[in-house]
Amino acid sequence: MTRRVLLLTHTGRDDARDVARACAKALTGHGIVVRVPTAEARDLELEPGAYDPPLELTSAEHSAGDDCELALVIGGDGTILRAVEITHDSGTPVLGVNLGHVGFLAEAEHDDVESTIEAIVERRYSAEDRLALDVRVYQDGELVTSTFALNEASVEKAARERMIEVVVEVDGRPLSRWGCDGVVCATPTGSTAYNFSAGGPVVWPGVEALLMVPISAHALFARPMVVAPTSVLAVELIARTDGRGVLWCDGRRAVDLPPGARIEVRRGDTPVRLVRLHEAPFTDRLVAKFGLSVEGWRGSAERRRRQGTDA
């Protein structure tokens, strides 16, 4: 059976282009077919026939992941989120190699490329399902947009000088009215992204929940909230106001929101699949990605000392 990997790259970076070329050479060297979007192959200066097996080129973006065992993504979180868009319909797992800044969604770093290729070749990886959001926009009771998000769906003011007036709702019941810069509805995966910057809580990926976080709200009750994964969150822009908004999904897809628009956010039916190469605890990932100080921690050493004494 033919093995096939989709290669997606931030082609605007010299280091990403170099790594992508090396990955294509290494994977095909082990008999794995590498599929590359046509425009990216051109940017990478890849000649399909120069590889054995030859590279597969595709111009059909949203079916690019079909029949691929995984998508290997070279770049930062933005590139990984683009890969999630491309692979969402096919359910292809996404493996990110971070060449960006924090790279919270990435599983490997630049220095791990060789071991990452070995793990792919030897099938030493697993896929982890992450809760995604189903996002719907209604205007005058009519559905006008339906999309998804891995990190968050944020309703934001469209004009810098003007707030938006919103009523937020949980499970069909109104909760509060806010004059604010926006509202973030996030997943646990997205809790370390925009939600984190807006003052929301960090939620471990194993927790099934939805988050709602106001941005600069002028209200007495405007606190981050964590609700059940079965809940439905809604944000309504107050009609008869001048405040226009914009919906951003994962910071990539935008929808203009006139006054009176209603945005509903719920758990999606289709999770996003992220590849894991090792079982490092999420706590270790937080410490590494944010450079957190753990100086003075004696947990493991203290336990070993006590165990030695008890023996």
Side-chain angles (χ1 to χ4, degrees):
M1 181 178 178
T2 301
R3 298 184 65 190
R4 184 174 282 102
V5 168
L6 175 63
L7 180 63
L8 298 170
T9 310
H10 185 330
T11 58
R13 298 178 56 124
D14 290 340
D15 53 353
R17 291 196 297 270
D18 291 341
V19 170
R21 295 186 192 105
C23 288
K25 182 177 180 180
L27 289 170
T28 54
H30 286 89
I32 297 175
V33 176
V34 175
R35 180 179 292 167
V36 187
T38 303
E40 292 187 16
R42 183 170 55 250
D43 292 341
L44 294 169
E45 299 179 344
L46 297 177
E47 177 54 51
Y51 297 83
D52 184 20
L55 303 181
E56 286 185 356
L57 302 187
T58 178
S59 57
E61 185 169 276
H62 289 286
S63 61
D66 291 358
D67 302 322
C68 292
E69 64 181 74
L70 61 81
L72 179 60
V73 186
I74 314 298
D77 279 350
T79 312
I80 294 173
L81 288 171
R82 180 171 68 88
V84 167
E85 289 180 17
I86 293 172
T87 61
H88 187 245
D89 290 341
S90 64
T92 307
V94 173
L95 170 55
V97 177
N98 180 41
L99 273 68
H101 298 292
V102 178
F104 229 100
L105 295 173
E107 180 66 5
E109 300 294 328
H110 185 286
D111 296 339
D112 303 325
V113 171
E114 185 174 338
S115 61
T116 299
I117 296 298
E118 290 178 0
I120 294 173
V121 171
E122 298 173 10
R123 289 190 170 97
R124 288 187 286 104
Y125 63 86
S126 60
E128 177 180 280
D129 286 354
R130 293 292 184 91
L131 184 153
L133 301 176
D134 173 84
V135 186
R136 303 177 190 181
V137 179
Y138 295 87
Q139 183 67 40
D140 298 326
E142 297 290 330
L143 177 65
V144 295
T145 300
S146 179
T147 185
F148 84 100
L150 170 60
N151 276 350
E152 76 280 313
S154 60
V155 177
E156 304 174 37
K157 63 182 184 180
R160 184 176 183 275
E161 69 277 4
R162 188 184 297 276
M163 293 190 306
I164 52 174
E165 291 281 340
V166 302
V167 172
V168 295
E169 172 191 300
V170 179
D171 295 330
R173 304 303 303 164
L175 180 69
S176 188
R177 175 170 174 164
W178 299 330
C180 58
D181 287 351
V183 181
V184 178
C185 299
T187 67
T189 299
S191 71
T192 51
Y194 194 179
N195 166 82
F196 182 81
S197 300
V202 174
V203 179
W204 264 236
V207 176
E208 294 196 340
L210 302 179
L211 290 71
M212 177 181 276
V213 180
I215 306 172
S216 302
H218 290 245
L220 180 62
F221 179 80
R223 293 291 184 267
M225 288 168 284
V226 181
V227 304
T230 54
S231 290
V232 178
L233 307 178
V235 181
E236 291 189 0
L237 274 68
I238 300 297
R240 302 180 302 280
T241 66
D242 295 331
R244 301 182 66 85
V246 59
L247 167 70
W248 283 97
C249 290
D250 288 339
R252 294 185 47 80
R253 303 180 301 283
V255 178
D256 290 333
L257 302 173
R262 175 182 172 86
I263 303 88
E264 293 185 358
V265 178
R266 53 175 56 79
R267 179 180 190 161
D269 293 332
T270 305
V272 170
R273 309 188 73 203
L274 298 181
V275 170
R276 289 291 171 244
L277 301 178
H278 43 75
E279 299 299 325
F282 183 69
T283 305
D284 291 355
R285 183 178 292 266
L286 277 178
V287 171
K289 295 295 186 179
F290 286 142
L292 303 178
S293 174
V294 292
E295 183 178 357
W297 181 69
R298 289 172 49 82
S300 295
E302 185 67 17
R303 282 195 300 274
R304 288 195 297 268
R305 185 188 68 78
R306 289 177 178 174
Q307 289 169 358
T309 301
D310 294 341

